[in-house]
């Protein structure tokens, strides 16, 4: 216990202490390069939530997080099921799918910005096949279906799909690795019992394998959710906020508001909102984990 005291002190100061400091700054009038700690209550929160950019950020974040997690789960599970068939060169394919995770987010963003550039990359292949109206990818400002909601349009920003493709490419290998570990942990006796009872391959997967992967899926969702809410480097290198903020995220907004706009209090507001959103996903997971251990 004594050996943990230095770590606990550092944790309290440099994690929870700075979280408390950020929360306090968000209630001050420090919105210039000169510190101003005059308390203004929740005025900064009201200002931030009423801006067109932050409303766009929330829409983009919800769309990106849902699609990112869903596609990564599907792709990761499919890849894991294929590798679990004891294919030849299994280690090669496993490393191949995991390789994108070793690449930095900035490098990934740069490469995919080249590939999805409307004038080069993938579009040259599409033009070679006779497609005249090639996608604009991250330059499009279209929102589908574009339902009016406050200052913004509710729907899926088409430009955000380009970022989604790059993100799924980089993180689906992680989902594959975790799912593969989960599949290898399922006792063969359960599968054999299902076959003896007359279950076909699909029924065995749906009734035996998939329920055994519930905890694995929950773990993947928690980690991918935290990653999606904090995504910054990929978007910064690939698209930036985009026209009409169609590819903007709270992390990008926080960075530019705080360090480029010198609006420290409003930047702190965005940070606190991000922290709350992440906590809404992680805390229930921690509670359920502790209950299982008890």
């Amino acid at each position: 216990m004594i050996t943990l005291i230095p770590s606990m002190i550092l944790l309290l100061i440099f994690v929870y202490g700075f979280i408390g400091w950020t929360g306090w700054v968000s209630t001050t009038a420090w919105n210039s390069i000169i510190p101003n700690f005059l308390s203004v209550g929740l005025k900064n929160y009201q200002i931030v939530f009423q801006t067109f950019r932050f409303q766009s950020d929330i829409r983009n974040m919800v769309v990106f997080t849902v699609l990112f997690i869903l596609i990564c789960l599907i792709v990761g599970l499919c890849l894991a099921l294929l590798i679990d068939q004891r294919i030849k060169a299994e280690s090669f394919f496993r490393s191949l799918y995991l390789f994108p995770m070793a690449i930095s987010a900035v490098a990934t963003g740069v490469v995919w910005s080249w590939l999805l550039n409307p004038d080069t990359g993938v579009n040259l292949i599409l033009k070679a096949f006779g497609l005249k109206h090639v996608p604009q990818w991250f330059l499009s400002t279209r929102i589908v279906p574009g339902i009016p909601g406050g200052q913004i349009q509710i729907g899926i920003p088409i430009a955000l799909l380009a970022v989604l493709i790059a993100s799924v490419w980089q993180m689906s290998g992680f989902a594959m690795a975790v799912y593969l570990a989960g599949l290898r942990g399922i006792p063969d006796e359960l599968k054999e019992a299902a076959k003896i009872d007359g279950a076909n391959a699909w029924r065995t997967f749906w009734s035996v394998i998939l329920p055994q992967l519930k905890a694995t899926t929950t773990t993947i969702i928690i980690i991918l959710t935290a990653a999606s809410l904090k995504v910054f480097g990929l978007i910064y290198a690939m698209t930036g906020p985009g026209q009409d903020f169609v590819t903007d995220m709270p992390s990008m907004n926080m960075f530019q508001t705080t360090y480029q706009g010198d609006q420290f209090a409003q930047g702190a507001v965005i940070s606190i909102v991000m922290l709350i959103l992440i906590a809404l996903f992680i805390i229930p997971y921690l509670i359920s984990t502790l209950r299982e251990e008890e």
Side-chain angles (χ1 to χ4, degrees):
M1 182 63 182
I2 298 178
T3 58
L4 296 177
I5 292 178
S7 299
M8 293 174 63
I9 294 175
L10 292 175
L11 183 67
L12 287 173
I13 295 175
F14 293 102
V15 177
Y16 298 104
F18 283 128
I19 290 175
W21 166 265
T22 302
W24 178 64
V25 169
S26 69
T27 63
T28 67
W30 189 5
N31 283 313
S32 66
I33 195 171
I34 301 174
N36 183 354
F37 298 116
L38 178 66
S39 177
V40 295
L42 299 178
K43 181 180 178 181
N44 290 316
Y45 287 85
Q46 182 180 6
I47 293 173
V48 169
F49 275 91
Q50 289 178 346
T51 61
F52 171 79
R53 180 173 187 177
F54 190 74
Q55 293 182 18
S56 300
D57 292 345
I58 297 299
R59 175 200 61 204
N60 298 343
M61 182 188 65
V62 172
V63 171
F64 178 81
T65 300
V66 172
L67 294 179
F68 172 67
I69 293 175
L70 183 61
I71 297 175
C72 280
L73 288 176
I74 294 174
V75 173
L77 181 57
C78 291
L79 293 176
L81 288 171
L82 290 174
I83 294 179
D84 192 46
Q85 304 304 312
R86 309 293 180 179
I87 60 175
K88 294 182 179 180
E90 174 186 326
S91 59
F92 168 76
F93 286 104
R94 189 169 59 240
S95 302
L96 181 66
Y97 298 142
L98 281 172
F99 175 73
M101 284 190 62
I103 303 175
S104 69
V106 174
T108 299
V110 171
V111 171
W112 278 97
S113 66
W114 294 340
L115 290 174
L116 299 180
N117 188 302
D119 298 322
T120 59
V122 174
N123 279 1
L124 293 179
I125 300 176
L126 297 178
K127 289 178 181 179
F129 280 94
L131 186 64
K132 295 182 179 180
H133 302 287
V134 294
Q136 291 299 301
W137 298 110
F138 51 81
L139 296 182
S140 175
T141 58
R142 184 182 175 191
I143 310 293
V144 179
I147 303 172
Q151 301 182 44
I152 64 172
Q153 290 183 320
I154 306 299
I156 301 175
I158 299 300
L160 197 62
L161 297 180
V163 179
L164 182 66
I165 292 172
S167 300
V168 169
W169 176 81
Q170 187 169 38
M171 292 301 296
S172 58
F174 163 77
M176 178 274 299
V178 180
Y179 268 132
L180 184 61
L183 289 171
R184 296 286 166 85
I186 299 176
D188 292 333
E189 290 79 3
L190 293 177
K191 302 175 186 178
E192 294 297 332
K195 291 180 180 179
I196 293 174
D197 290 339
N200 56 24
W202 171 251
R203 188 63 181 176
T204 300
F205 169 76
W206 189 258
S207 301
V208 177
I209 297 177
L210 199 57
Q212 295 293 319
L213 296 175
K214 181 180 179 181
T216 302
T217 302
T218 302
T219 301
I220 296 173
I221 290 175
I222 294 298
I223 295 176
L224 291 182
T225 299
S228 64
L229 293 177
K230 298 185 296 182
V231 62
F232 174 79
L234 179 66
I235 294 179
Y236 187 85
M238 187 173 180
T239 64
Q243 187 176 350
D244 294 337
F245 304 113
V246 289
T247 58
D248 197 31
M249 288 289 177
S251 56
M252 177 70 66
N253 190 352
M254 183 273 294
F255 172 77
Q256 293 186 336
T257 298
T258 305
Y259 300 108
Q260 295 180 354
D262 296 328
Q263 297 176 323
F264 292 92
Q266 293 185 18
V269 168
I270 301 172
S271 299
I272 293 299
V273 172
M274 291 174 60
L275 174 65
I276 293 173
L277 291 173
I278 294 174
L280 289 176
F281 286 93
I282 293 180
I283 291 178
Y285 170 72
L286 295 177
I287 293 175
S288 63
T289 303
L290 291 174
R291 287 178 178 174
E292 290 178 359
E293 291 180 355
E294 292 176 356

